[in-house]
Amino acid sequence: MKSIPVAVQMYTLREESEKDFAGTLKKVAELGFDGVEFAGYGGLSAAEVRTLLDELGLKAASSHVPLDELKTNLSQVIEFQKVIGSKYVVCPYLLPEQRSEEEYKALIAVLDKAGEACRREGITLCYHNHDFELERLSDGQMALEAILDHTQAENVKAEFDVYWLTKAGERPIDWIRRYSGRTPLVHLKDMTTDDEQFFAELGTGGVNLDEVLSAGEEANVEWWIVEQDMSRKTPLESIEISIKYLKTKLPYLVNQ
């Protein structure tokens, strides 16, 4: 089995990070994560972030960067990634007013252009889905299909979120296989099996995580990324349960 490293999306720990960014990263390292996916940098410079990561033995798996920043500040975003050692930058979310058919068409052009600029600098641009991109456009195609099928594969990759795909009635494994080789980042989440379909710690819900994890090597996944948008436990308790679950499924994690 290929040793695919595991990161945590720092949005999960947003409140902890706001109080103590460095201390929160230290706790992530102590739990056995290989890296982090950033959603902000605690007000630190790129050099300060890199120093902190190196001290803690963590890697920068990727960074979530708002779409507007990708449009207006891309060169600085790229330089920041280079310093912190991140090879991936992710468009994380679309606001409600950005989800019309016309806006999706404009987005495709923006992502292709930004992705090409990133690629020239050794950075890969990915698109992270929620459930709203699984809605159908006027031609019958899902918005997520349109984004991936109408951008150049070398310019734009996917960061599939298995919770949101499942919530939309899709099988995550189908998307990972369909876009095999174009899914370097995968968000691992679970979902409660009741009507609420709330975010759940890995292994405690109904998402078929086994088949997702088993497809990682064939699909050329580079990072598994744990995220829990909201939790009824403390976020640190939540990610500890999730990493312990992954250690039972991915034996190579135990000795890291």
Side-chain angles (χ1 to χ4, degrees):
M1 176 181 286
K2 177 184 175 183
S3 296
I4 301 172
V6 179
V8 65
Q9 164 52 254
M10 292 300 289
Y11 178 76
T12 308
L13 302 166
R14 54 197 177 276
E15 294 181 3
E16 289 78 3
S17 296
E18 190 173 337
K19 297 172 185 174
D20 183 1
F21 188 77
T24 302
L25 284 178
K26 185 174 186 292
K27 290 175 182 177
V28 167
E30 289 170 349
L31 287 174
F33 286 90
D34 301 294
V36 294
E37 180 176 60
F38 287 104
Y41 308 101
L44 302 181
S45 68
E48 289 170 330
V49 171
R50 181 57 183 266
T51 297
L52 186 55
L53 290 174
D54 289 346
E55 288 175 350
L56 296 173
L58 292 170
K59 300 291 185 184
S62 55
S63 296
H64 276 200
V65 177
L67 178 60
D68 286 347
E69 197 168 342
L70 294 176
K71 289 179 179 178
T72 62
N73 198 30
L74 186 59
S75 60
Q76 289 91 333
V77 169
I78 290 171
E79 287 308 310
F80 203 103
Q81 304 314 301
K82 287 181 177 180
V83 174
I84 68 173
S86 166
K87 295 181 180 179
Y88 296 99
V89 61
V90 182
C91 177
Y93 184 72
L94 300 180
L95 298 170
E97 60 268 23
Q98 296 172 314
R99 302 174 195 171
S100 68
E101 191 152 341
E102 185 177 339
E103 288 292 331
Y104 279 125
K105 289 179 181 177
L107 173 68
I108 287 165
V110 168
L111 292 177
D112 233 349
K113 183 179 178 181
E116 183 179 7
C118 287
R119 180 167 56 84
R120 288 197 302 264
E121 298 295 330
I123 305 294
T124 299
L125 176 65
C126 298
Y127 184 85
H128 171 268
N129 69 280
H130 290 76
D131 56 348
F132 54 80
E133 293 98 343
L134 281 300
E135 295 174 359
R136 301 278 178 180
L137 303 176
S138 61
D139 63 0
Q141 193 174 38
M142 295 180 190
L144 185 57
E145 292 176 313
I147 290 167
L148 294 174
D149 293 350
H150 297 292
T151 53
Q152 296 297 315
E154 65 268 25
N155 291 341
V156 181
K157 309 294 185 183
E159 180 179 58
F160 288 137
D161 186 303
V162 302
Y163 168 91
W164 290 114
L165 288 172
T166 303
K167 196 170 193 298
E170 297 289 310
R171 293 177 68 229
I173 189 65
D174 292 340
W175 287 81
I176 291 170
R177 286 175 176 161
R178 177 176 173 182
Y179 294 97
S180 183
R182 203 175 170 183
T183 61
L185 311 175
V186 174
H187 267 200
L188 296 178
K189 300 182 186 178
D190 216 336
M191 184 172 69
T192 60
T193 55
D194 55 17
D195 291 340
E196 187 178 8
Q197 297 184 314
F198 194 68
F199 304 100
E201 289 74 28
L202 297 183
T204 69
V207 175
N208 194 331
L209 295 169
D210 280 340
E211 63 181 11
V212 169
L213 293 170
S214 68
E217 184 171 356
E218 184 180 355
N220 292 319
V221 173
E222 295 292 330
W223 281 94
W224 300 121
I225 300 173
V226 174
E227 181 182 34
Q228 187 144 340
D229 302 44
M230 292 180 282
S231 175
R232 295 199 171 97
K233 305 178 186 297
T234 71
L236 283 166
E237 287 175 326
S238 173
I239 66 169
E240 183 174 7
I241 292 169
S242 291
I243 192 66
K244 284 182 176 178
Y245 166 82
L246 288 176
K247 287 178 180 179
T248 70
K249 297 294 181 178
L250 306 173
Y252 58 81
L253 289 179
V254 176
N255 297 319
Q256 291 185 174

